[in-house]
Amino acid sequence: MNKYARMAIGMSLFVTVWYGLQAWFVQSAVRASSPLAFNAERYLLASLLLGGFCFIKRIPLTRRAIQGGALLGTVFTVAVAADTQGIALGSAGRVVFLGSLYVAFLPLCALLFRRPNVRVAAVIGSLVVLLGGGLLLYTPDGTIASDFFGVLRALAFGVYLLLLSRYAHEDWRVMSLVSAVVVAGLSIGLAVVTDQARFSLSIDVLAPVILSALIGTILCAAITLWSGRFLSPALMGMISFLESPFTVIWGILLGREVLSINSLAAFAIISLGAVLVLGANAIRVPALRLTTRPTRTVVPQS
């Protein structure tokens, strides 16, 4: 593992710790204004700052980087809208853990589309994750609406990770800018259409807007896009999943999360399944051969 990969892992871990904390002060802000208005404010601020940075640095806007940023921004709008809608209606820890169900979708989609060499551990892990998700949904600690948005967040984030690996080698600065502009624009439009255009400049909303824009939207998004150049999608997914337990830990430390035994059991089952899915390549178990064509042996380079 080279030094850039180690740096990417360390910085990505910071991102998950921060996102776990951010979920709780964002929850207070979206309840004081509205989820979509809050998203519009923080991504509009992020767009202005990123645009100024790219202008000062005279960063060239390539066609593929713009395309990647637009696609990532569109999908991420759905993910972040579902996230904020969910935590406005229920517990942040529960919503984020339901959002982590994306780890179950990737191997099952690969199996559905008959991709070669699908790991047995990954398939088993996907089923374990879904079992934990089912247990969590049947645990009466949340609302139907917040649970729905948690699952929608999982679907959108799964697509986001797939797109991220596709555009990983494009200029992350340009993609960050374009993505933020798209999220801001779509959030404003959705806020107006859904009658959530309750924009607020009160300190209870403005402080989380500034913090989440500067650290969560600019710094953490840039780290994620940069790290995608040096880490595999599986490792990125493993690190991203850690946001879920960190959110619960922050909730307990801040005194905002009281967990039932059933919820703890569901969180543990989901975590176990995620380890099986995302660590499948490191587990020496057979792969499911879904093709009869001969495959070449690729010797990894050190």
Side-chain angles (χ1 to χ4, degrees):
M1 181 180 294
N2 60 41
K3 65 176 182 179
Y4 293 109
R6 290 194 294 270
M7 289 173 57
I9 291 173
M11 291 190 296
S12 296
L13 287 173
F14 162 78
V15 169
T16 61
V17 174
W18 172 260
Y19 279 155
L21 175 61
Q22 179 177 279
W24 292 104
F25 65 74
V26 164
Q27 184 178 67
S28 300
V30 297
R31 289 177 177 177
S33 57
S34 71
L36 292 173
F38 177 81
N39 291 340
E41 288 185 47
R42 62 172 167 168
Y43 281 96
L44 183 59
L45 176 59
S47 299
L48 293 173
L49 295 174
L50 286 169
F53 172 79
C54 291
F55 177 78
I56 292 172
K57 293 293 185 179
R58 299 185 181 276
I59 297 172
L61 305 178
T62 64
R63 179 178 179 179
R64 185 167 172 80
I66 294 174
Q67 180 188 55
L71 285 174
L72 288 169
T74 301
V75 175
F76 197 68
T77 300
V78 178
V80 76
D83 181 56
T84 49
Q85 292 280 2
I87 65 177
L89 299 171
S91 165
R94 181 184 175 94
V95 171
V96 173
F97 248 102
L98 284 172
S100 69
L101 296 180
Y102 72 88
V103 300
F105 302 146
L106 302 181
L108 293 180
C109 286
L111 191 63
L112 179 65
F113 292 104
R114 301 187 64 79
R115 297 287 180 85
N117 301 333
V118 180
R119 295 286 178 181
V120 174
V123 175
I124 294 174
S126 296
L127 298 177
V128 172
V129 169
L130 294 178
L131 176 64
L135 177 59
L136 188 58
L137 289 172
Y138 279 102
T139 301
D141 288 344
T143 66
I144 295 177
S146 65
D147 289 348
F148 167 77
F149 285 119
V151 175
L152 179 60
R153 177 187 188 270
L155 292 170
F157 194 69
V159 176
Y160 178 82
L161 282 180
L162 293 174
L163 287 174
L164 183 62
S165 64
R166 179 179 178 183
Y167 291 97
H169 294 285
E170 301 304 319
D171 193 319
W172 57 270
R173 299 164 299 181
V174 175
M175 289 201 298
S176 295
L177 169 61
V178 175
S179 178
V181 170
V182 170
V183 176
L186 291 178
S187 295
I188 292 173
L190 290 172
V192 172
V193 170
T194 60
D195 196 27
Q196 288 194 32
R198 297 188 295 276
F199 301 98
S200 173
L201 295 178
S202 68
I203 191 64
D204 292 339
V205 176
L206 192 59
V209 162
I210 294 173
L211 279 175
S212 59
L214 292 177
I215 302 178
T217 304
I218 296 179
L219 179 61
C220 291
I223 287 174
T224 300
L225 290 171
W226 180 82
S227 299
R229 305 177 65 176
F230 305 101
L231 304 178
S232 68
L235 185 53
M236 288 288 291
M238 174 71 82
I239 296 173
S240 298
F241 171 78
L242 294 178
E243 177 189 348
S244 302
F246 278 130
T247 302
V248 173
I249 291 170
W250 278 116
I252 295 172
L253 293 176
L254 296 173
R256 298 188 182 184
E257 186 84 303
V258 179
L259 300 175
S260 67
I261 296 299
N262 286 345
S263 292
L264 283 172
F267 292 161
I269 292 172
I270 293 173
S271 299
L272 173 61
V275 170
L276 288 173
V277 173
L278 300 170
N281 289 331
I283 299 173
R284 296 185 179 278
V285 293
L288 297 176
R289 300 288 184 177
L290 300 179
T291 178
T292 56
R293 291 179 297 177
T295 57
R296 294 182 300 170
T297 301
V298 179
V299 179
Q301 298 179 355
S302 58

